[in-house]
Amino acid sequence: GSKDATVTVVDTILKPLSTIESAKRLAAYTAVDRHVKPEHIVIGIGSGSTVPYVVERIVQQGKEANKDRVFIPTGFQSKELIVSSNLNLGDVDQYPTIDVTLDGADEVDRDLNCIKGGGACHLREKVLAEAARTFILVADYRKNVEYLGTNFKPGVPIEVVPFAYAKVLQNLHHILGSPKATLRMAVAKAGPVVSDNGNFIIDAPFEREHMEKPYDIMARIKMLTGVVEVGLFCHMAQAAYFGNEDGSVTVK
Ligand code: 5RP
């Protein structure tokens, strides 16, 4: 059937990858083909394991297409990616308006709200999402859900200034209804994860009732003293691309 044909095409044209990696690449390539056009000069590059495929596809557009473009990173990882791909590096303070930003997501709901910050980059990611005329999400099929929190269990990433973390945790536990909120620890619990901005990250799981209205809970978390940014991106993305296991792409 046509479904099988799609899989065959993907497998023969592209080098073999695991199903999830293929899905990420398919989402990224489709999004770049649709949204990164010759007239787009300032391009925001997000973080995570899907974004390298975005950059890979942009590089495939050729040296001529990229020579006048400038790429703005959301953190250390994407900066390295831009530099190692021989693309021009810029900063958001030079380019506060971005033509298009492409980024991954931990989960995306039916209204294109998403959880971000699995990689602790959501503050800078939100700045670049907000700066962009068009903000596009790319992910594999596991991230495509009706309600946030369906598959992604760690909860909402919250960047906090180190001085305030215990108080923010207490408020999340006792006031905002996230009794299991925890400080994110580095591998082997050697110490807290520290963001590119020198802050700590709290992961706060919420019940479905809160995740049905992510904007409301985001606003309440943002009001807590010491919170720098919340990894809930509400009404920000224009589209989300999900690579599926069968080689097709779902667009939301
Ligand atoms: C980092 C992020 C990432 O975009 C998110 O975690 C998705 O990553 P991946 O593409 O590896 O699934 O928000 O802060």
Side-chain angles (χ1 to χ4, degrees):
S2 58
K3 216 167 149 189
D4 295 335
T6 313
V7 174
T8 312
V9 168
V10 169
D11 285 347
T12 50
I13 294 177
L14 306 173
K15 70 176 189 296
L17 292 175
S18 73
T19 308
I20 286 173
E21 289 304 306
S22 298
K24 290 178 188 177
R25 182 167 62 182
L26 199 54
Y29 278 27
T30 309
V32 169
D33 292 353
R34 291 219 190 148
H35 297 282
V36 183
K37 299 290 181 195
E39 65 271 25
H40 296 142
I41 302 300
V42 184
I43 299 173
I45 299 295
S47 321
S49 61
T50 313
V51 161
Y53 298 117
V54 166
V55 173
E56 186 173 281
R57 190 58 159 177
I58 289 173
V59 168
Q60 286 172 17
Q61 290 185 346
K63 281 206 167 74
E64 187 59 28
N66 286 308
K67 78 175 188 338
D68 294 327
R69 282 181 174 155
V70 54
F71 294 84
I72 319 293
T74 47
F76 184 84
Q77 180 221 352
S78 47
K79 183 176 169 182
E80 294 289 296
L81 190 59
I82 292 164
V83 171
S84 64
S85 305
N86 292 315
L87 297 169
N88 304 319
L89 182 68
D91 209 333
V92 72
D93 46 20
Q94 295 168 280
Y95 299 96
T97 302
I98 295 174
D99 292 313
V100 54
T101 292
L102 300 104
D103 203 345
D106 295 306
E107 222 167 39
V108 187
D109 78 5
R110 56 196 178 147
D111 297 321
L112 289 178
N113 299 311
C114 64
I115 295 181
K116 288 187 52 54
C121 301
H122 57 277
L123 166 63
R124 295 189 188 194
E125 289 171 344
K126 206 180 255 193
V127 172
L128 262 64
E130 219 170 79
R133 293 196 175 97
T134 308
F135 176 50
I136 303 296
L137 296 168
V138 289
D140 63 74
Y141 52 91
R142 298 169 303 172
K143 317 292 185 66
N144 181 9
V145 296
E146 281 276 293
Y147 298 105
L148 299 177
T150 303
N151 297 330
F152 186 71
K153 296 301 179 192
V156 176
I158 303 168
E159 180 158 345
V160 293
V161 296
F163 182 79
Y165 89 88
K167 190 65 197 162
V168 172
L169 270 177
Q170 190 184 53
N171 284 329
L172 285 162
H173 292 171
H174 298 308
I175 302 174
L176 290 192
S178 183
K180 295 196 173 134
T182 51
L183 184 66
R184 191 182 297 179
M185 299 300 280
V187 180
K189 300 206 186 313
V193 166
V194 178
S195 75
D196 284 342
N197 315 300
N199 295 316
F200 292 171
I201 305 291
I202 288 172
D203 292 300
F206 286 94
E207 296 296 331
R208 163 65 61 84
E209 59 177 292
H210 285 307
M211 299 320 262
E212 283 176 5
K213 291 188 180 164
Y215 186 88
D216 293 356
I217 193 69
M218 179 200 74
R220 292 182 67 195
I221 300 167
K222 266 195 101 152
M223 290 297 291
L224 299 176
T225 304
V227 168
V228 179
E229 194 48 79
V230 183
L232 283 169
F233 288 39
C234 302
H235 319 302
M236 297 189 88
Q238 273 71 45
Y241 291 79
F242 303 95
N244 294 319
E245 283 171 288
D246 66 0
S248 64
V249 178
T250 298
V251 187
K252 277 215 282 213

